[in-house]
Amino acid sequence: MLSEEEARDTILEEVKPGGGEDLSLAEAGGRYLARDLISALPSPSFDQSAMDGYAVRHEDAKAGAELTVTGEQAAGRDLEFMCGPLGAVRIFTGAPLPEGATAVVMQEDVEKVGENRIRLREGAGEGEFIRRVGEDHCVGQLLAGAGSRVGEGMVGVLASQGMGTVAVGRVPRVRVLTTGDEVVGVSGEAELRPGELYNSNGPMLSALCRGLGVGGAVIDHVRDELTAVRRGVEEGLSEGDILIVVGGVSVGERDFVKRALSEAGVETLFWRVKVRPGKPLYFGKRGKTLVFGLPGNPVSAFVTFHLFVAPALRKWMGASEGLWGPVTRVGRVLEAIRTGGDRPHYLTGRMDWMGGYFRPVGIQQSHAIGIA
């Protein structure tokens, strides 16, 4: 039985990134850069005012000085004003700086003393309230490396560079195959009979894939019967880059998944991991298709997806190595916790990220799915 780290390393060794594609900015959010992003334009692209106020020469900007206003420059087209000795240009945030101006005085620090005359209540030093060309980043600067996640802020950076499209890693085709005679599809119409339950695993795993930027997964369901499981497995292998089979991976008389996978030519790379919940985890491959067999209990499926499937999906999509694994934090537990055995035990609960506290919530059993 492998440790959690050994199992994850084994999985990641088998994952090969799926290549890249060009997407529009509207579609690229949540994906990972396929190439380094190099600045083609300086930002800002011109010297500009950081405040509403008056552009002046800093040597004239003394408290009590009176200056003559020679024009008004709003954000937009450069009107090419000149700021000469004892002169000032009314200016607004983001507007191009007039030639000769070396400082901006905030409008709050100015009083009008005539139609085109102002008096400075406060002085200004050289460069004050000026955004210099290239101050944010310069031409040729590395903005983000290949494998970086395209978050909302990065979309803004891309747009500021005039990039309408960006090269990102492709997403895999993911198939989810749930199993079980007791499982009924979530249609809103089917009524449960004694012994039945709704299929929570399929929609949950599809939502988890969507949260990673995969776009959801195709969900199929089969009964606990070898022929049906084998048919579902074969279809998933032929249609998906990654197949996730849920339930039926243990050693019971009606657990047919491992046999069906073997008959379909899937090479078993490991079975069982030293974690709780989620011990009966399966991983294998056929050709380039990776196969995960997750336990059927929903909390076990949730935990093993985050620990093992999500890192594989991130690497497949081209994420950098530092983004593959689950996020960990050190914190204090607010209630006493008892865990048996020597396996790492994952609990459901709420985390106070600011305070660094964790509070367990609900029944800590693999079947007891709930909203923490």
Side-chain angles (χ1 to χ4, degrees):
M1 184 161 51
L2 298 182
S3 70
E4 175 187 329
E5 292 76 16
E6 290 170 335
R8 190 159 45 243
D9 288 345
T10 299
I11 292 168
L12 291 173
E13 285 177 4
E14 297 296 331
V15 178
K16 303 296 184 291
E21 61 180 340
D22 291 334
L23 290 183
S24 69
L25 290 187
E27 300 172 298
R31 303 285 282 272
Y32 299 92
L33 291 178
R35 297 191 294 269
D36 289 347
L37 180 62
I38 306 297
S39 174
L41 298 172
S43 178
S45 57
F46 54 90
D47 291 342
Q48 60 182 247
S49 175
M51 287 284 179
D52 289 353
Y54 293 84
V56 300
R57 301 193 320 157
H58 72 277
E59 55 262 51
D60 297 332
K62 311 298 182 184
E66 292 191 10
L67 307 176
T68 301
V69 180
T70 59
E72 181 175 291
Q73 175 67 66
R77 185 172 63 87
D78 189 348
L79 299 179
E80 299 181 351
F81 286 111
M82 172 71 72
C83 187
L86 299 179
V89 175
R90 180 72 166 112
I91 199 166
F92 297 89
T93 304
L97 196 69
E99 186 176 346
T102 56
V104 172
V105 181
M106 291 193 301
Q107 62 186 14
E108 294 89 339
D109 293 335
V110 173
E111 60 178 327
K112 290 186 177 182
V113 294
E115 184 176 352
N116 295 314
R117 298 281 292 175
I118 58 171
R119 180 183 295 120
L120 307 187
R121 296 192 183 100
E122 299 287 342
E126 184 176 6
E128 193 163 345
F129 298 125
I130 293 176
R131 301 170 182 160
R132 292 297 184 187
V133 60
E135 185 177 276
D136 187 6
H137 51 257
C138 59
V139 174
Q141 181 176 335
L142 176 66
L143 299 176
S148 300
R149 185 177 181 275
V150 182
E152 294 83 354
M154 189 181 295
V155 169
V157 172
L158 295 171
S160 73
Q161 288 285 304
M163 298 181 184
T165 61
V166 61
V168 296
R170 288 201 313 112
V171 297
R173 300 168 300 163
V174 180
R175 303 282 298 217
V176 174
L177 178 66
T178 59
T179 66
D181 292 341
E182 76 281 15
V183 177
V184 176
V186 182
S187 65
E189 300 175 359
E191 292 187 7
L192 294 180
R193 294 174 296 185
E196 293 181 335
L197 51 85
Y198 286 120
N199 187 349
S200 61
N201 281 326
M204 177 183 70
L205 291 169
S206 181
L208 287 169
C209 288
R210 189 176 300 278
L212 292 175
V214 174
V218 176
I219 306 170
D220 298 307
H221 180 76
V222 293
R223 299 186 58 191
D224 286 327
E225 192 272 322
L226 180 58
T227 301
V229 175
R230 190 163 49 204
R231 183 172 58 250
V233 163
E234 191 59 54
E235 182 176 347
L237 289 168
S238 62
E239 297 292 334
D241 298 302
I242 293 178
L243 171 63
I244 304 172
V245 187
V246 191
V249 295
S250 194
V251 293
E253 292 183 1
R254 298 184 64 77
D255 291 329
F256 299 112
V257 169
K258 289 175 62 183
R259 179 177 170 184
L261 291 171
S262 177
E263 293 180 0
V266 177
E267 175 189 359
T268 299
L269 296 177
F270 68 77
W271 175 61
R272 299 199 305 172
V273 180
K274 200 172 183 179
V275 296
R276 178 185 178 191
K279 175 181 173 182
L281 175 76
Y282 174 96
F283 177 65
K285 66 175 182 177
R286 189 180 79 172
K288 295 183 178 180
T289 302
L290 304 178
V291 181
F292 293 88
L294 307 189
N297 281 321
V299 177
S300 299
F302 184 87
V303 168
T304 51
F305 180 93
H306 280 287
L307 294 180
F308 306 108
V309 182
L313 289 174
R314 294 189 188 101
K315 183 178 179 183
W316 204 101
M317 292 189 291
S320 59
E321 184 174 354
L323 300 176
W324 295 346
V327 176
T328 59
R329 294 286 189 274
V330 175
R332 294 180 59 190
V333 180
L334 296 183
E335 299 176 10
I337 296 175
R338 293 182 179 178
T339 59
D342 59 350
R343 287 181 286 162
H345 190 178
Y346 289 88
L347 308 175
T348 57
R350 293 191 179 95
M351 185 72 188
D352 179 345
W353 297 105
M354 295 295 292
Y357 298 108
F358 175 79
R359 184 187 300 277
V361 174
I363 302 172
Q364 303 298 330
Q365 298 290 334
S366 60
H367 69 280
I369 191 169
I371 300 174

